[in-house]
Amino acid sequence: MKMTEIISLLDARLLCGAVEDDYEFDSAFASDMMSDVLAYGQGQALLLTGLLNQQVIRTAEMLDMRCIVFVRGKVPADEVLSLAAEKGITALTTRHGMFTCGGLLYQAGIRGV
């Protein structure tokens, strides 16, 4: 699934980074616990979370995740978004909750661990 399709499906808004339509997303991981993301999130390029601190960006960077979707309409502080941009990670926000986002993505063919 292309990033523009994810943005449309989740009715998301771009916070920082670039829309990478040359990359095909096929899996995602959803968690507010970055220790779980580190332990079980290998291989996913898309992270769904409600956590808004810099640890989210650092975790995504360690796992080569290309995009973070902040759920429940949350928007991180400017310093968090600056770090994401510096690391080449696209950040989106959506009004949908994590459960709904996961269901929408699953219905569209995105899989988890």
Side-chain angles (χ1 to χ4, degrees), residues 6 14 26 33-34 77-78 83 86 90 93 97-98:
I6 292 169
L14 181 68
D26 60 8
M33 295 184 64
M34 292 303 104
D78 288 341
L83 181 61
E86 176 185 317
T90 300
T93 186
M98 194 179 305

Side-chain angles (χ1 to χ4, degrees), residues 50-111:
L51 195 61
L52 298 175
N53 61 32
Q54 291 186 359
Q55 186 65 26
V56 174
I57 308 305
R58 301 276 183 212
T59 301
E61 177 190 21
M62 289 177 63
L63 297 175
D64 294 324
M65 292 178 160
R66 302 171 83 95
C67 182
I68 300 169
V69 179
F70 294 100
V71 297
R72 299 184 295 277
K74 293 185 173 188
V75 176
D78 288 341
E79 58 268 10
V80 176
L81 293 175
S82 293
L83 181 61
E86 176 185 317
K87 301 300 179 183
I89 298 170
T90 300
L92 308 172
T93 186
T94 179
R95 62 181 169 76
H96 296 298
M98 194 179 305
F99 183 80
T100 300
C101 287
L104 290 168
L105 290 166
Y106 187 85
Q107 277 185 320
I110 299 289
R111 297 298 179 244

